[in-house]
Amino acid sequence: MEISFEVSFSEPNAHYVDVKMNISGISSDSVDVKMPVWAPGSYLVREFAKNVEQFSVKGAGQSSVSFRKVNKNTWRVATAGAKAIEVFYKVYAFEISVRTSFVDASHAFLSPTGVFMYVDGMLQLPSVVTVHPHHAWTKVSTGLEPVKGKAFTYYASDFDVLFDSPIEVGNQDIFEFTAAGVKHEVAMYGGGNYDKAKLSADMAKIVESQMSIFQHMPNKRYVFIVHNFQSGGGGLEHLNSTVLGASRDAYNTDKGYKGFLGLVAHEYFHLWNVKRLRPAALGPFDYSTENYTTDLWISEGFTAYYDNLILRRTNVYSPEAYLNVLSSDIETVSNQPGAGVQPVAESSFDAWIKYYRPNENSKNTGISYYNKGAVLGMILDLEIINATKGAKGLDDVLKAMYDEYFLKQNRGFTSEEFKRMAEKVGGISLDNFYSKYVHKAAPIDFQVHLDHAGLVLVDEYAGLNTPSLGLTASSKDGKLSVVSVTRAGTAWTDGISVNDEIIAINGNRINDQAGIDRLIANKKVGDRVDVLLSRDGLVRTLSVTLKKEIKGKFRIEAAKDASTQQFAVRKKWLNL
């Protein structure tokens, strides 16, 4: 069987992609054509088939071929002996994100799992994609391999490659740089105040720094597709490329520029960690249902740890600036009540139903495998550096895993295999680490681990006895409504609920969150206050007892009496 696609844009202003799928070499009486339900790297069933319309099939001589839809994302075509068919359909593409397709008069971004269908059971087949740009467009950017002698035509060795190769079509601004012996294309859509020379130099440093960890470059070419919006963000990794969201006017600000470089570092690190060094569940993929793993804290969390660490190694961050960033990571985990409820392994497994569907209670019941995984990466790194007296670190664990399970065995790893390799490299037992921090939600004693590097975690709020109502509220249409309450806080304990309208506190009219904060600041822990609120149109007064604000504000500073060994660990870790 042979498969090819033609993609065109007859109505870009109406946000449509026109797809023609050619299937030849058919030997069965029917063919099931399926649309994926999710995009690898974004662990949520997104039901891409919902955007498909005007599905039709033609055979020889353009005769109509019968078909019927047999489930949400499968069309069964009755070939009736035909050896070749043409499948036609349109995809509505009008969702701006790095994981969904978007088409308008200015450009088309094709996220392949939401555009290209596949023949059931035939994911291993190669395919050819020909793009017919709208007449106003002149460029195509993709990591797919170009077919020589054919304009805008590309080859994918199988559907895993096709589905992992986004396509940008339009008039994007393209520049290139070479790093680690590989040509890198940067395709900028949406304009922006970026400096090409500066970006090229800094992005090359990131590539070289990460290459020094794994010492193997799996690609001969790499493409950055960057969407610049008024306010943009996010990224999604791919085998041969990445898609980044950015704010077009933020490149000339310190925060905006470093934020963009951090995003580059994160998604490029996935070239190794996730796309090749991966949990067993993450490939080959089943595109019709969820693919479960308990190890996203390694795949995403460690990548989130390294994105900032790489900026330190390339001197984008000074040592002091990096420790400030790390303090914020610690603060995020420590201040989230759900960190003490949901183990990070469970957070990974439940990504499909929780991470992309947060609600008003999420912070009380869960923790992000990004945030928790990042601080666990830091802890593991420090533990190994300390145990080996600076000879080894987390770099060495990842490289050993990459060499063994990608280069040698070409398969995903199990949780136990990762643990064993980390123990082997570090010469330490990780039973306690996994028991407390991975499979349970025990509080993390960060000071124990930072002490290896002669660093002190300071809580600036320690010793304070600040009262808190334990809620956040937002003003809309003249009403101040509760949008979240904090587990075990005042509101949680005494019955103030999300969606309650706060009218007054102790007889004082309250109009915004700042008004709540000002009034509570004049009270003491243990004081009782009367909250006048409206719930479902019924006005009532709740008398509540103020509890202590439980959040901390952290900074990391050097110990004044650090030993030679502690300084050696710090030197290795912070690339001093």
Side-chain angles (χ1 to χ4, degrees):
M1 187 178 290
E2 295 183 357
I3 299 175
S4 65
F5 296 91
E6 293 183 47
V7 179
S8 57
F9 309 91
S10 59
E11 300 176 287
N13 55 305
H15 320 300
Y16 280 101
V17 185
D18 303 297
V19 183
K20 177 184 176 184
M21 181 182 188
N22 304 295
I23 307 173
S24 61
I26 301 170
S27 58
S28 58
D29 293 333
S30 66
V31 172
D32 283 356
V33 181
K34 301 175 71 73
M35 176 70 85
V37 303
W38 69 288
S42 181
Y43 307 102
L44 177 68
V45 171
R46 296 182 182 275
E47 309 293 18
F48 293 123
K50 68 186 178 184
N51 296 318
V52 173
E53 60 183 76
Q54 300 181 50
F55 186 96
S56 65
V57 185
K58 294 187 181 300
Q62 293 297 294
S63 59
S64 295
V65 176
S66 64
F67 66 89
R68 64 186 178 93
K69 195 171 184 180
V70 296
N71 60 36
K72 64 182 182 180
N73 67 319
T74 307
W75 289 258
R76 181 162 294 160
V77 180
T79 57
K83 302 301 180 184
I85 58 173
E86 296 176 339
V87 178
F88 300 87
Y89 57 94
K90 285 177 173 284
V91 176
Y92 182 70
F94 196 56
E95 182 179 352
I96 293 177
S97 82
V98 295
R99 63 191 70 86
T100 51
S101 298
F102 182 89
V103 178
D104 68 7
S106 65
H107 81 129
F109 169 64
L110 306 183
S111 181
T113 51
V115 173
F116 299 110
M117 296 189 184
Y118 64 98
V119 176
D120 194 19
M122 297 292 177
L123 288 170
Q124 78 281 4
L125 291 179
S127 62
V128 173
V129 177
T130 300
V131 179
H132 302 290
H134 187 256
H135 64 81
W137 305 338
T138 61
K139 300 174 183 177
V140 175
S141 296
T142 179
L144 286 170
E145 180 183 341
V147 175
K148 292 182 179 180
K150 295 186 177 181
F152 302 137
T153 301
Y154 306 91
Y155 173 79
S157 56
D158 57 41
F159 274 76
D160 287 320
V161 172
L162 176 60
F163 287 153
D164 219 5
S165 303
I167 302 172
E168 176 71 20
V169 189
N171 299 307
Q172 56 270 25
D173 182 20
I174 296 175
F175 63 93
E176 296 178 339
F177 66 89
T178 298
V182 171
K183 180 178 289 186
H184 293 72
E185 174 184 322
V186 183
M188 290 282 197
Y189 163 77
N193 57 6
Y194 50 87
D195 181 324
K196 296 180 186 179
K198 181 174 175 58
L199 269 181
S200 295
D202 287 337
M203 291 169 76
K205 291 176 185 177
I206 289 170
V207 171
E208 297 281 1
S209 180
Q210 294 185 0
M211 174 64 176
S212 70
I213 298 172
F214 295 95
Q215 298 176 29
H216 174 262
M217 178 56 71
N219 284 350
K220 296 180 179 179
R221 179 171 166 270
Y222 190 90
V223 178
F224 294 92
I225 297 173
V226 185
H227 293 153
N228 294 300
F229 298 108
Q230 183 176 16
S231 178
L236 189 64
E237 70 275 5
H238 296 281
L239 275 172
N240 47 32
S241 56
T242 186
V243 185
L244 310 177
S247 299
R248 65 170 65 95
D249 296 321
Y251 290 96
N252 63 355
T253 68
D254 184 69
K255 180 180 179 181
Y257 188 67
K258 289 177 179 176
F260 180 75
L261 291 182
L263 184 59
V264 169
H266 184 100
E267 301 306 335
Y268 201 85
F269 199 81
H270 277 314
L271 179 64
W272 296 276
N273 191 33
V274 153
K275 300 317 300 183
R276 290 164 177 89
L277 171 60
R278 57 178 174 77
L282 299 186
F285 294 115
D286 183 340
Y287 295 99
S288 63
T289 190
E290 297 88 347
N291 293 230
Y292 293 101
T293 175
T294 58
D295 291 322
L296 290 180
W297 65 276
I298 296 172
S299 299
E300 290 292 355
F302 283 15
T303 302
Y305 168 61
Y306 271 95
D307 56 28
N308 289 318
L309 188 61
I310 292 298
L311 296 194
R312 164 65 211 117
R313 291 178 180 178
T314 54
N315 291 314
V316 174
Y317 285 142
S318 67
E320 295 76 18
Y322 173 67
L323 291 179
N324 287 337
V325 170
L326 202 59
S327 298
S328 296
D329 291 341
I330 292 172
E331 199 169 288
T332 296
V333 173
S334 299
N335 288 343
Q336 183 148 330
V341 177
Q342 185 185 47
V344 73
E346 180 184 302
S347 172
S348 300
F349 192 85
D350 281 347
W352 296 93
I353 58 174
K354 291 188 177 182
Y355 182 76
Y356 292 95
R357 290 181 174 132
N359 62 25
E360 68 282 349
N361 199 40
S362 292
K363 71 175 186 178
N364 292 316
T365 62
I367 189 65
S368 164
Y369 47 80
Y370 284 89
N371 302 138
K372 184 71 173 285
V375 298
L376 292 186
M378 174 202 75
I379 289 170
L380 193 55
D381 202 4
L382 284 169
E383 290 299 316
I384 294 172
I385 293 172
N386 182 65
T388 62
K389 294 182 169 52
K392 304 285 185 180
L394 189 56
D395 287 13
D396 300 280
V397 176
L398 295 180
K399 183 181 186 307
M401 288 292 295
Y402 183 83
D403 290 349
E404 178 64 27
Y405 293 102
F406 175 66
L407 292 180
K408 183 178 178 181
Q409 298 193 40
N410 192 27
R411 66 171 176 86
F413 61 82
T414 67
S415 298
E416 183 58 32
E417 285 168 341
F418 190 93
K419 177 176 179 287
R420 283 201 303 266
M421 183 66 80
E423 290 176 326
K424 178 181 178 181
V425 170
I428 54 177
S429 170
L430 293 176
D431 289 347
N432 194 46
F433 175 89
Y434 270 77
S435 174
K436 290 174 59 179
Y437 297 158
V438 178
H439 298 301
K440 293 182 181 178
I444 299 175
D445 187 346
F446 289 100
Q447 184 55 58
V448 168
H449 308 288
L450 289 170
D451 189 60
H452 294 321
L455 297 170
V456 179
L457 183 65
V458 178
D459 182 357
E460 297 178 4
Y461 290 170
L464 298 180
N465 203 29
T466 305
S468 172
L469 201 53
L471 60 78
T472 55
S474 178
S475 299
K476 184 178 181 181
D477 299 328
K479 295 182 178 181
L480 179 63
S481 297
V482 178
V483 295
S484 69
V485 300
T486 301
R487 178 182 287 273
T490 303
W492 175 285
T493 301
D494 287 339
I496 300 176
S497 298
V498 168
N499 296 329
D500 285 348
E501 178 192 354
I502 305 294
I503 300 171
I505 299 177
N506 281 356
N508 296 280
R509 177 69 176 174
I510 301 296
N511 297 310
D512 52 23
Q513 179 71 49
I516 295 176
D517 295 340
R518 283 193 299 270
L519 193 144
I520 299 301
N522 292 319
K523 301 297 178 181
K524 298 189 297 294
V525 172
D527 284 352
R528 294 188 67 81
V529 298
D530 292 330
V531 181
L532 181 65
L533 56 83
S534 174
R535 181 180 297 167
D536 192 30
L538 300 177
V539 177
R540 66 186 68 187
T541 299
L542 290 181
S543 183
V544 303
T545 302
L546 294 176
K547 291 190 169 187
K548 179 183 177 180
E549 173 62 73
I550 60 174
K551 293 181 179 179
K553 183 170 178 59
F554 301 101
R555 71 173 187 274
I556 298 173
E557 58 185 35
K560 296 179 181 178
D561 56 350
S563 68
T564 301
Q565 160 114 358
Q566 287 174 318
F567 187 76
V569 171
R570 189 192 312 169
K571 182 178 180 180
K572 165 80 171 179
W573 180 43
L574 297 181
N575 196 40
L576 300 178

